[in-house]
Amino acid sequence: MSEEVCSHIASISELKTAKEHVCEECVKLGDSWVHLRTCQECGVTLCCDDSKNKHATAHFHKTDHPVISSAEYNERWLWCYKDESFVTY
């Protein structure tokens, strides 16, 4: 099965990775998170939609930065919010 790559994902030339394995916004609130995602435009690492605050999706709605990657150690994938495109690497 082939994965179609959207233009937003295809335009990424260098993968941004988490500087620290924390959700920067949850830390400010004193909250916890389930999984972490890293924005491929600005590099911020935020919590996933399974987390209480859903900071990664909120970041997309606020900034229009379309692509995130998993910041989990055992996961290698990218997701584009705009095109609902998912690819592994």
Side-chain angles (χ1 to χ4, degrees), residues 8-82:
H8 302 106
I9 291 174
S11 70
I12 295 171
S13 59
E14 186 175 328
L15 191 66
K16 290 177 175 55
T17 57
K19 294 172 187 75
E20 294 184 73
H21 202 251
V22 299
C23 173
E24 298 176 19
E25 294 302 316
C26 283
V27 168
K28 292 176 190 174
L29 296 171
D31 282 339
S32 60
W33 53 87
V34 178
H35 300 288
L36 297 170
R37 310 298 180 227
T38 302
C39 175
Q40 291 304 298
E41 189 150 331
C42 69
V44 67
T45 297
L46 301 165
C47 61
C48 71
D49 284 356
D50 288 334
S51 302
K52 171 182 151 186
N53 296 302
K54 303 179 182 184
H55 284 123
T57 297
H59 177 75
F60 162 67
H61 290 297
K62 181 179 176 184
T63 63
D64 209 34
H65 295 169
V67 181
I68 57 169
S69 66
S70 174
E72 297 302 310
Y73 298 117
N74 59 344
E75 297 178 353
R76 297 180 152 268
W77 56 259
L78 298 165
W79 168 257
C80 177
Y81 286 103
K82 284 187 176 183

